[in-house]
Amino acid sequence: MKHRSMLLRTSVVLLCAASLAGCSTIKGWFGGDKKKDDGKPNEPAELTDITPSVTVQKIWSANAGKGEGRIGVRQGPVVADGRVFAAAIEGGVHAFDLQTGKQVWEYRPEKKANIRLSGGPGVGEGLVVVGGLDGEVIALDASTGEEKWKAHVPNEVIAAPAIGMNSVFVRSNDGRVTAFDAASGERRWFWVQEVPMLSLRGNDGPVLGPGFVFIGNDDGTVSALSANDGRPMWEQPIAQPEGRTELDRMADVDGTPVLEGTTLFATSFKKQTLAIDAPSGRPMWSAEHGGAGRIGMASDRLVVTDPTGSVFGLDKNSGAALWSQPALARRNVTGAAVQGDFAVVADFDGYVHWLKLDDGAFAARERVGGKAVKAAPVVADGIAIVQNVNGELTAFRLQ
């Protein structure tokens, strides 16, 4: 029964896909098709030549093991203390040096256990924590990769756990958040949000604030929980799940909300982005641009991608659109990251795109192995790291 929720949701999606054959929206959610179908306007936009305005240097590449393929979990790396931590479905967990890509350690579960690591990793308080498709939660020593403890939740974990306040917070695919003691792995509390009948495949991890755990939900809301006991503090809709059909009502908040000071930013598949006063849950502004992926954060603006593949720069103080870049339409663009004066996104064909933060113009483009990238790039110490669905990691520096 522990897979009942996952199987039900998957079945509904497949039924809708079958009944709506040719629908570009459904096709876009599950990965662009590289095969050309001349004369049909719903094909991924063809990339045109650009004149680079910044030099991108590939500084290293590595492999975390067999990747997610078409599972759709958007597995990506995390960086802390000069190390890149990455996991793969059948590759275990690896730690690499951020500057050189040299492997520092690796952890591989016992083969007989058949553990498929899909969620995370997350890092904090000396731990690296990863989840599995069968609900496994494994905590490792961040310095050595030594296993510290194991726990279990009732459904698959495809989001990175969050670690802080002496706890590990795990989001599972049934709408549950479970808090474990960071030292022992003992369960402290859990909270459950009902999952809609139909939602996007994938979700993202919690974000932590002083005394708070913030969760983006599949029903288009953000919830604030007490980190101490899981008690709900407030709930705020980012977008209303309105429409005649289940498809129309999809409003997932699938990217981890971003906390800056006391302001929380969250974005929804319904193309809505909201700034929220984090302690109270009071909305500060709303913008009619956004998507299910992660938000890129610059000093004065946000970068969001919408379900059509358009990329937008939004004023951080008002939500006003500063620019848009529509040339990546239907290329299943990832969430955004910010590297220097540029926004970074990737697409279904393994291309990584750098856009000027000033006006959204293309500044550079590189390719990572020719396989789809579903997770948003990660930027740390001026280095952008991209993980594709084959578990391959590539690190880029701007010259």
Side-chain angles (χ1 to χ4, degrees):
M1 295 295 290
K2 67 181 179 180
H3 295 303
R4 181 178 180 183
S5 174
M6 178 185 71
L7 291 174
L8 177 60
R9 293 165 64 193
T10 302
S11 298
V12 172
V13 172
L14 291 176
L15 283 171
C16 290
S19 63
L20 297 175
C23 174
S24 63
T25 306
I26 292 286
K27 177 180 176 181
W29 299 338
F30 295 100
D33 188 350
K34 296 182 185 179
K35 295 180 181 179
K36 293 184 179 181
D37 194 354
D38 295 336
K40 290 190 177 181
N42 293 326
E43 287 299 299
E46 293 286 345
L47 298 179
T48 59
D49 292 339
I50 63 172
T51 301
S53 57
V54 65
T55 300
V56 177
Q57 178 189 11
K58 175 182 172 181
I59 58 175
W60 57 262
S61 60
N63 198 299
K66 188 175 180 180
E68 63 174 277
R70 292 183 175 272
I71 293 177
V73 299
R74 299 196 312 232
Q75 203 160 24
V78 64
V79 181
D81 301 321
R83 291 181 178 179
V84 179
F85 302 96
I89 297 294
E90 297 181 12
V93 185
H94 298 255
F96 304 98
D97 182 87
L98 173 62
Q99 301 296 327
T100 67
K102 181 179 179 181
Q103 182 170 288
V104 180
W105 55 256
E106 69 173 327
Y107 165 85
R108 290 186 178 270
E110 296 181 13
K111 287 186 177 181
K112 63 181 181 180
N114 193 31
I115 295 175
R116 298 164 295 168
L117 298 178
S118 54
V123 63
E125 298 190 358
L127 293 178
V128 175
V129 185
V130 66
L133 286 177
D134 292 310
E136 305 92 346
V137 180
I138 302 173
L140 310 174
D141 185 287
S143 298
T144 64
E146 176 188 0
E147 185 178 302
K148 305 294 289 185
W149 51 262
K150 285 183 179 178
H152 200 272
V153 294
N155 206 285
E156 63 180 2
V157 180
I158 59 177
I163 307 166
M165 296 174 281
N166 301 314
S167 296
V168 175
F169 303 93
V170 178
R171 162 81 176 274
S172 50
N173 205 37
D174 54 357
R176 178 186 298 246
V177 177
T178 307
F180 297 96
D181 182 271
S184 67
E186 180 182 358
R187 192 181 76 181
R188 298 179 56 200
W189 55 258
F190 72 90
W191 169 88
V192 181
Q193 176 84 342
E194 184 177 351
V195 176
M197 180 65 71
L198 182 62
S199 66
L200 296 178
R201 170 63 170 165
N203 47 57
D204 217 340
V207 63
L208 307 182
F212 285 89
V213 183
F214 301 103
I215 310 294
N217 299 310
D218 289 343
D219 65 357
T221 63
V222 168
S223 298
L225 312 177
S226 166
N228 185 53
D229 57 13
R231 176 169 45 93
M233 307 297 287
W234 55 255
E235 183 176 279
Q236 179 60 241
I238 306 304
Q240 296 292 341
E242 298 173 337
R244 296 178 59 186
T245 68
E246 293 290 341
L247 290 174
D248 293 334
R249 289 190 286 272
M250 290 172 64
D252 303 53
V253 179
D254 273 357
T256 295
V258 179
L259 183 66
E260 184 179 68
T262 60
T263 303
L264 187 73
F265 300 96
T267 188
S268 161
F269 181 73
K270 276 277 195 182
K271 301 183 181 181
Q272 297 283 326
T273 299
L274 196 68
I276 305 169
D277 177 70
S280 68
R282 176 179 58 85
M284 300 171 66
W285 57 252
S286 178
E288 295 185 353
H289 303 287
R294 291 188 182 182
I295 298 173
M297 177 77 70
S299 60
D300 63 345
R301 64 197 61 198
L302 313 175
V303 182
V304 296
T305 58
D306 77 7
T308 70
S310 292
V311 186
F312 292 86
L314 305 180
D315 183 272
K316 188 185 289 185
N317 294 317
S318 68
L322 302 173
W323 52 260
S324 66
Q325 175 53 264
L328 299 176
R330 301 173 300 279
R331 296 189 65 86
N332 298 341
V333 179
T334 67
V338 171
Q339 185 180 22
D341 295 327
F342 305 89
V344 192
V345 297
D347 69 25
F348 81 98
D349 212 15
Y351 284 98
V352 185
H353 310 269
W354 283 262
L355 283 64
K356 295 180 182 179
L357 282 176
D358 285 344
D359 58 10
F362 287 106
R365 180 184 298 141
E366 294 289 337
R367 203 176 191 191
V368 288
K371 295 294 183 180
V373 178
K374 295 185 178 179
V378 173
V379 176
D381 293 340
I383 298 173
I385 304 114
V386 177
Q387 181 173 342
N388 69 16
V389 297
N390 262 13
E392 299 169 359
L393 292 102
T394 309
F396 298 98
R397 194 194 304 275
L398 302 180
Q399 296 283 56

